[in-house]
Amino acid sequence: MKIPAFLLRFPHHYFSRRTCFKSFHFSSRSDFLCTGSLAPMHLCYAKQMFSLKGLKRGFCHQAAIDQQIEGLSDREQGLVDRLYSGLIEGHRACLAEAITLVESTHHRKKKVAQVLLQKVLSYHREQEKLNQGKPLAFRVGLSGPPGAGKSTFIECFGKMLTERGHKVSVLAVDPSSSTSGGSLLGDKTRMTELSRDMNAYIRPSPTRGTLGGVTRTTNEAILLCEGGGYDVVLVETVGRFSGPTKGAPPITYFIFFPLCFFLASFGIKRGIIEMADLVAINKADGDLIVPARRIQAEYVSAMKLLRKRSKVWRPKVMRISAKTGEGISDMWDKMTEFRDLVLMSGELIAKRRKQQKVWMWNLIQENMLEHFRSHLAVKDKIPLLEEKVLSGVLSPGLAADLLLKAFKGGL
């Protein structure tokens, strides 16, 4: 008996218990299958072909997880399983421990963290499919100079959201000292009410020299928070008027908080306002009502000069008061309006994918620099060439060329 070609190409995988045939018999072991009618088999084959891409994708993800798990000890595997189970069950202690693991720079802990992140990512993808492909959480970034009232706003805003049934996580980024490398991490102390709320989680993290107002692991921390069931993630970036932005922050909605006694043209010149989807003028109460109105009018006029970044959204300028709560509810309404518009237009999904790509290359650059510094071909030459640059014997460009040449020769 001659077996059809597609039976040879697709073996027993396509002949599961669900496969039904009108008539068949096994004449011998050499005769694999004899069919009286192959019509049902064609139907089964077509259905399986539609799901072939999904099966391949699932097998690839599972193979990546299995390959990483093989290198872990029993203790490390037990840690991953414990953190993963506690995380998806909503335990805040497991979330805090998972973020600490992700933030670690120890090479072994970084490997364990990647296994945990891969499992959480697979779970996150399954939950998004159940949510009809919509993002599980609303990611909001907040930035502004010190004294603009960001922490006060987060506490007032977060309490309002938890009262409405939302789960809110706050990732407060604190700048690290360029001298000692330490950070105060005192943002949580300014949110006493929100920190006691069981539907809220606050995590201060240092920048450790990372540019752009976020940490090296902000994207991973957001993923862990979403895996823990938090549907609103607030990222309070480093408070500053300006600063180099290293790629696109992994956020959906960006709010800028200016001071009421600075001109809008200053913020426009420095460029951070160009990233804002909403400008929130806080402290619009008491004696600052008149200055807040003036700065609002200036920002409305100035933002008309900016290039439009979205086809469906125009950045708004609002006056709010975190002290009295005025304008906080209206601000949330504007934010949800933005989310619905960019979700319907497809801009939100496209933005998320672009952010993931940018974040991948940021991590590659950082790890490559670390690998360069620790490489045997240049590790001992770096101090010598640094001394020659400091003494003026070599120019920085020539010293860099020598190190790169030695690095390439040692590969």
Side-chain angles (χ1 to χ4, degrees):
M1 183 192 75
K2 185 177 181 181
I3 302 175
F6 57 84
L7 287 180
L8 296 175
R9 287 183 60 194
F10 301 97
H12 64 279
H13 173 71
Y14 288 101
F15 297 96
S16 62
R17 295 178 182 177
R18 292 184 175 181
T19 309
C20 301
F21 301 95
K22 289 183 179 179
S23 61
F24 67 92
H25 67 275
F26 293 95
S27 58
S28 66
R29 289 188 178 181
S30 59
D31 293 336
F32 175 67
L33 183 66
C34 299
T35 60
S37 175
L38 294 179
M41 182 176 61
H42 281 288
L43 180 61
C44 176
Y45 172 74
K47 289 182 179 179
Q48 293 289 349
M49 284 301 294
F50 278 113
S51 60
L52 182 59
K53 291 184 179 180
L55 286 171
K56 285 184 177 180
R57 193 179 296 113
F59 290 152
C60 290
H61 290 311
Q62 188 61 39
I65 296 176
D66 294 340
Q67 185 178 5
Q68 290 177 322
I69 289 177
E70 288 178 358
L72 300 184
S73 64
D74 294 339
R75 182 179 179 182
E76 291 170 338
Q77 181 58 44
L79 175 63
V80 171
D81 294 338
R82 180 177 63 83
L83 292 181
Y84 174 75
S85 300
L87 184 68
I88 62 177
E89 291 175 2
H91 297 164
R92 292 197 297 179
C94 291
L95 173 59
E97 190 174 353
I99 295 178
T100 301
L101 180 65
V102 168
E103 290 179 347
S104 176
T105 56
H106 190 274
H107 70 281
R108 193 65 190 176
K109 292 183 178 179
K110 289 173 69 175
K111 185 175 182 179
V112 177
Q114 288 304 317
V115 176
L116 175 62
L117 287 170
Q118 192 64 37
K119 294 187 68 174
V120 175
L121 185 62
S122 299
Y123 172 78
H124 186 272
R125 189 179 298 107
E126 292 175 0
Q127 294 300 310
E128 282 192 341
K129 288 181 180 179
L130 296 177
N131 199 32
Q132 300 178 351
K134 299 178 182 178
L136 300 178
F138 191 18
R139 304 174 181 178
V140 182
L142 306 99
S143 186
K150 298 186 297 296
S151 298
T152 307
F153 165 78
I154 289 176
E155 181 167 44
C156 178
F157 184 64
K159 289 294 294 181
M160 182 197 71
L161 292 179
T162 56
E163 290 173 359
R164 296 186 180 185
H166 295 279
K167 292 190 67 176
V168 181
S169 64
V170 181
L171 303 177
V173 181
D174 203 45
S176 299
S177 171
S178 58
T179 304
S180 63
S183 300
L184 291 177
L185 302 179
D187 298 274
K188 191 173 182 178
T189 61
R190 296 193 292 269
M191 310 175 195
T192 55
E193 294 295 330
L194 188 62
S195 61
R196 291 196 291 263
D197 196 321
M198 295 304 297
N199 289 322
Y201 172 75
I202 304 175
R203 172 74 182 210
S205 298
T207 59
R208 294 180 180 176
T210 304
L211 302 178
V214 293
T215 70
R216 178 181 61 88
T217 57
T218 297
N219 197 25
E220 289 80 357
I222 291 176
L223 178 64
L224 293 173
C225 290
E226 293 180 356
Y230 293 89
D231 58 343
V232 179
V233 181
L234 305 178
V235 182
E236 182 186 0
T237 63
V238 172
R240 62 178 77 179
F241 278 106
S242 63
T245 54
K246 186 179 179 181
I251 56 177
T252 303
Y253 195 77
F254 184 72
I255 305 174
F256 177 65
F257 289 83
L259 291 172
C260 291
F261 41 85
F262 274 96
L263 296 176
S265 57
F266 185 81
I268 294 292
K269 287 181 179 179
R270 304 310 298 174
I272 193 172
I273 192 64
E274 296 178 349
M275 300 172 57
D277 298 298
L278 186 144
V279 177
I281 303 169
N282 198 6
K283 302 183 179 181
D285 51 60
D287 297 336
L288 293 178
I289 292 180
V290 175
R293 290 175 179 172
R294 185 187 71 250
I295 199 74
Q296 181 185 20
E298 291 181 358
Y299 267 100
V300 169
S301 299
M303 295 194 68
K304 294 178 181 178
L305 305 176
L306 298 179
R307 181 178 297 177
K308 193 174 181 180
R309 296 187 298 114
S310 173
K311 297 180 180 180
V312 297
W313 180 258
R314 191 83 179 179
K316 311 295 182 184
V317 183
M318 297 184 64
R319 285 182 290 110
I320 62 171
S321 174
K323 181 179 179 181
T324 63
E326 183 181 356
I328 302 297
S329 180
D330 295 337
M331 187 174 176
W332 174 245
D333 293 337
K334 292 293 183 183
M335 295 166 65
T336 53
E337 179 187 355
F338 166 86
R339 180 184 58 187
D340 295 339
L341 288 175
V342 295
L343 185 60
M344 291 178 59
S345 65
E347 292 183 7
L348 179 57
I349 304 300
K351 186 177 182 180
R352 286 278 181 97
R353 291 174 178 172
K354 182 179 179 181
Q355 288 170 348
Q356 295 295 324
K357 178 182 176 181
V358 171
W359 201 263
M360 179 192 73
W361 282 108
N362 288 341
L363 293 177
I364 290 175
Q365 292 175 9
E366 181 180 343
N367 291 329
M368 283 298 297
L369 181 60
E370 182 180 350
H371 177 65
F372 175 83
R373 290 179 178 273
S374 60
H375 197 272
L376 295 177
V378 300
K379 186 177 181 180
D380 297 332
K381 296 181 180 180
I382 289 177
L384 300 176
L385 291 176
E386 284 180 345
E387 291 182 4
K388 292 183 179 181
V389 170
L390 291 174
S391 60
V393 177
L394 289 178
S395 66
L398 180 58
D401 291 340
L402 292 174
L403 288 174
L404 290 172
K405 185 177 180 180
F407 177 74
K408 294 177 181 178
L411 293 178

